[in-house]
Amino acid sequence: MRLLRRLFWLGILAGGGYGGYRVWRQRQSTPVEPPRWPPLANETRTTANAQPSAAQVNADAAPVAAAQEVDGRTWVVAVNGDCPDGYPVKANANSGIFHVLGGRFYARTVADRCYANADDALADGYRPAKA
């Protein structure tokens, strides 16, 4: 009986030692550097070393689309996901959310429509972004 007890405790100690060894080996093999995520679409255009292509220069220089009026609400189509002057409210058709200037995700939002004020976006069925 004493032999069985000793073998049992020896097995417990060996199992704990093996588990500790596995944890130590796993920590040794994990990379020190955090994973790198792909840059956001807006960040790729603003890198310091990147030169804009001719197509981007021509698209940026394109005139602002004429304002469209639907039932008294005025909006314009976004140019390359950015809103022109005078239309600071960005609306995304996929999510149905609009973002106002100074909002948390305003800079990274790619707009489909741009509104002059939040009331027009609300009237068009978009909801405000959460803070």
Side-chain angles (χ1 to χ4, degrees), residues 8-121:
F8 173 76
W9 287 111
L10 183 63
I12 295 290
L13 287 174
Y18 179 70
Y21 171 76
R22 294 280 306 238
V23 168
W24 178 75
R25 289 290 292 170
Q26 186 176 12
R27 285 192 178 177
Q28 295 297 321
S29 66
T30 56
V32 177
E33 200 172 301
R36 295 180 186 224
W37 300 100
L40 297 173
N42 287 345
E43 291 175 3
T44 58
R45 283 188 273 144
T46 60
T47 56
N49 297 333
Q51 296 294 326
S53 66
Q56 287 176 334
V57 171
N58 291 340
D60 290 340
V64 176
Q68 300 177 16
E69 189 170 327
V70 178
D71 297 329
R73 295 181 297 275
T74 306
W75 58 273
V76 295
V77 176
V79 178
N80 293 333
D82 294 327
C83 290
D85 292 336
Y87 295 89
V89 179
K90 291 182 176 182
N92 188 306
N94 291 335
S95 63
I97 298 173
F98 70 87
H99 300 266
V100 294
L101 190 62
R104 182 175 175 190
F105 296 110
Y106 183 83
R108 66 167 59 171
T109 301
V110 178
D112 296 321
R113 289 184 178 186
C114 300
Y115 290 92
N117 56 45
D119 293 334
D120 289 344

